[in-house]
Amino acid sequence: MSSNKALFAGRTILASSISKSYTQEISQKCQTISSSIMSPKGKKPFLVGFLANDDPAAESYANWTKKTCEEMGFEYQLRRVQNKDFLEEKIIEANNDDAVDGIMIYFPVFGDAQDQYLKQVISLEKDVEGLNHTYYQNMYHNIRYLDEQKTKKSIVPCTPLAIIKILEYLKIYNPLLPVGNRLYGKKAIIINRSEIVGRPLAALMANDGCVVYSVDVHNIQKFTRGEGLKFSKHHVEDLGSNTPELLKQLSLDADIVITGVPTDNYKYPTENIKEGATCINFSFHKNFTEDVKSKAGLYVPSTGKVTICMLLRNMLRLIENKYQNTSSTNV
């Protein structure tokens, strides 16, 4: 029995392996921009990150951002803000600095609605994480361009985008189906409904044809385009309170399990995983126990490196949007 389990055990896929499929493309594009009219005097694309908390996850993310930027030809600067009440002022200064191409904030800062406000302070033209209301609205309504001429591409929030790219890399998307329908027939459960990752990810996957069960502490919602994909964009249905019984029922029906619970003591029950399901964790903490590998067909324990690649990809797109009249390159 144990030998059979070993024989049919799934694979663990690291974010570092997945990110390699994007690093060369992004590095080459970075070099092209640095040597073109889009970058005066050969200036490297310049990203500024603001850190105004003592969250170890944010510190780790900042370190990986710096390392990745340096490896791929970008300039990066971490600006620590000791008094978070002055963070807005510092962001506005970066907005007005022509040398700065991209801005990001390491959340949480205040951990409440004020964080939602800070996302809107970053200039639309420098928001590499795609958290601006305009980008969110476009994403939810499946609008891919910022202008009627379709010359300026809209930005997708980088962590949800990273998970979509991971699903594509793992061949979960069906390339034989039309674009926009390639998750048709798949069911997913997402243990997180934050406005930064969980909710937009559920919308993106549902817009691509997936039935998504979105779970937070209080309730479970169903994101879907309806039977036979009859709707052009996703609709949301409230399924009721988040009970262990309902969670297990939906989990055992899910082809894809995605977790993002930001606490070290949360572990997704392995017995709730459908045999052969794809399991992805985007939390800084390990939301799965080691025995996930006995159930999952494919297991991705973290997404950070792919997220940073998508962040830099977004920044290059912002630069191209700014100079699209003088360049025909695309990311």
Side-chain angles (χ1 to χ4, degrees):
M1 182 71 69
S2 59
S3 61
N4 285 341
K5 279 196 171 183
L7 180 63
F8 293 107
R11 290 185 57 196
T12 298
I13 313 292
L14 299 179
S16 56
S17 299
I18 301 171
S19 65
K20 288 177 183 176
S21 62
Y22 297 102
T23 53
Q24 183 175 3
E25 168 203 351
I26 295 169
S27 295
Q28 289 177 345
K29 182 63 64 177
C30 180
Q31 292 175 9
T32 299
I33 286 178
S34 295
S35 60
S36 73
I37 192 173
M38 289 183 281
S39 182
K41 299 180 180 178
K43 182 182 79 68
K44 296 179 180 179
F46 181 28
L47 173 64
V48 170
F50 286 100
L51 183 62
N53 63 43
D54 56 2
D55 183 359
E59 186 79 36
S60 175
Y61 189 18
N63 290 336
W64 275 114
T65 309
K66 181 178 187 296
K67 184 176 185 293
T68 305
C69 282
E70 291 173 350
E71 289 175 348
M72 298 173 66
F74 293 78
E75 183 180 354
Y76 173 80
Q77 185 180 88
L78 179 63
R79 297 182 182 177
R80 298 179 185 271
V81 181
Q82 300 301 326
N83 186 339
K84 56 189 177 183
D85 290 326
F86 292 106
L87 178 56
E88 180 182 2
E89 179 182 329
K90 298 297 183 182
I91 294 170
I92 293 172
E93 288 178 5
N95 282 341
N96 296 329
D97 185 350
D98 289 340
V100 176
D101 297 302
I103 300 170
M104 64 180 298
I105 304 169
Y106 296 101
F107 290 103
V109 178
F110 294 94
D112 56 20
Q114 198 164 345
D115 282 6
Q116 301 297 323
Y117 169 73
L118 286 172
K119 296 170 193 173
Q120 308 312 312
V121 174
I122 298 176
S123 166
L124 184 72
E125 293 78 17
K126 299 186 179 185
D127 178 18
V128 296
E129 292 193 288
L131 302 179
N132 186 281
H133 173 72
T134 297
Y135 295 137
Y136 261 66
Q137 186 174 39
N138 284 354
M139 175 195 65
Y140 282 121
H141 291 271
N142 205 18
I143 298 171
R144 304 192 178 196
Y145 292 89
L146 295 170
D147 58 339
E148 292 183 2
Q149 294 75 27
K150 297 185 177 181
T151 60
K152 297 182 179 181
K153 292 182 179 179
S154 194
I155 301 300
V156 175
C158 59
T159 303
L161 177 61
I163 296 169
I164 295 298
K165 293 300 182 184
I166 288 170
L167 290 171
E168 290 179 352
Y169 178 89
L170 298 177
K171 310 299 183 186
I172 307 302
Y173 273 70
N174 185 347
L176 298 179
L177 294 176
V179 173
N181 293 346
R182 290 181 173 176
L183 284 181
Y184 180 60
K186 302 293 184 182
K187 293 182 180 178
I189 190 162
I190 302 174
I191 315 299
N192 175 290
R193 203 186 302 139
S194 69
E195 296 301 324
I196 295 180
V197 186
R199 189 188 297 275
L201 177 60
L204 284 169
M205 292 178 66
N207 283 344
D208 281 341
C210 191
V211 173
V212 181
Y213 301 112
S214 174
V215 180
D216 74 359
V217 174
H218 304 293
N219 69 347
I220 300 178
Q221 295 180 342
K222 181 180 180 181
F223 287 58
T224 175
R225 282 174 51 199
E227 187 176 351
L229 306 183
K230 63 181 178 180
F231 303 121
S232 60
K233 65 182 184 66
H234 75 279
H235 289 229
V236 181
E237 175 187 351
D238 195 336
L239 299 183
S241 299
N242 177 7
T243 65
E245 295 77 19
L246 180 58
L247 179 64
K248 184 170 185 177
Q249 174 192 335
L250 298 176
S251 297
L252 289 174
D253 198 33
D255 308 292
I256 307 160
V257 180
I258 302 174
T259 59
V261 181
T263 58
D264 192 40
N265 58 4
Y266 174 83
K267 302 299 176 187
Y268 189 82
T270 302
E271 63 268 21
N272 286 5
I273 299 173
K274 177 182 177 180
E275 195 82 28
T278 296
C279 296
I280 300 172
N281 172 56
F282 66 82
S283 173
F284 174 73
H285 304 279
K286 293 182 178 180
N287 286 170
F288 293 101
T289 55
E290 281 300 307
D291 61 352
V292 64
K293 299 172 185 177
S294 69
K295 295 289 288 289
L298 297 170
Y299 170 50
V300 181
S302 67
T303 62
K305 290 188 176 182
V306 183
T307 298
I308 295 170
C309 280
M310 294 304 107
L311 183 147
L312 297 179
R313 192 171 180 266
N314 278 351
M315 186 164 79
L316 295 179
R317 181 161 290 173
L318 290 174
I319 294 172
E320 289 185 327
N321 283 348
K322 183 178 178 180
Y323 293 99
Q324 55 88 16
N325 289 328
T326 57
S327 173
S328 59
T329 58
N330 284 304
V331 177

